[in-house]
């Protein structure tokens, strides 16, 4: 009898949210405890273009609800503070 493993819920959420799963996984890998500014994340990922970061890294992970914002009402990327969501750690 072959044992089948259940798929990882994080991978499922990322796959549904975007085809850019490698970028989303890279973003999640550089975040540890606490909140991070977008500029700090851009530097950790060694990126130079803020729009690319937003489109291919940030938006897919936010749509998958794997990151949460410190101030959800903020509208600019410069004031944005992010951390891993509790849903990232569940199951």
């Amino acid at each position: 009898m072959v044992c089948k493993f259940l798929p990882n819920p994080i991978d499922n959420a990322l796959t549904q949210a975007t085809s850019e799963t490698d970028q989303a996984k890279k973003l999640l890998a550089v975040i540890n405890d606490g909140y991070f500014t977008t500029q700090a994340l851009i530097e950790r990922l060694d990126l130079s273009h803020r729009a690319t970061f937003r489109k291919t890294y940030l938006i897919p992970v936010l749509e998958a609800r794997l990151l949460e914002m410190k101030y959800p009402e903020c509208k600019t990327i410069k004031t944005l503070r992010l951390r891993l969501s509790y849903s990232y750690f569940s199951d």
Side-chain angles (χ1 to χ4, degrees):
M1 182 174 164
V2 176
C3 179
K4 292 185 179 181
F5 294 101
L6 294 175
N8 184 340
I10 295 168
D11 289 338
N12 286 346
L14 288 172
T15 302
Q16 290 173 1
T18 181
S19 62
E20 312 282 345
T21 56
D22 289 338
Q23 287 88 349
K25 286 180 182 180
K26 286 179 187 176
L27 175 59
L28 295 173
V30 299
I31 297 178
N32 49 21
D33 292 339
Y35 286 97
F36 289 87
T37 63
T38 53
Q39 186 59 40
L41 294 174
I42 290 169
E43 289 171 5
R44 284 178 171 229
L45 291 166
D46 199 28
L47 300 173
S48 58
H49 199 254
R50 190 180 300 261
T52 299
F53 168 76
R54 187 171 194 271
K55 181 181 176 184
T56 61
Y57 290 80
L58 184 60
I59 291 174
V61 175
L62 285 173
E63 287 176 350
R65 298 181 185 247
L66 297 175
L67 289 181
E68 63 185 23
M69 295 184 281
K70 186 172 187 178
Y71 307 110
E73 67 279 354
C74 79
K75 299 296 181 198
T76 64
I77 196 167
K78 288 185 179 183
T79 59
L80 195 61
R81 305 287 185 270
L82 302 159
R83 73 172 179 184
L84 291 175
S85 171
Y86 288 112
S87 66
Y88 178 79
F89 298 106
S90 64
D91 297 327

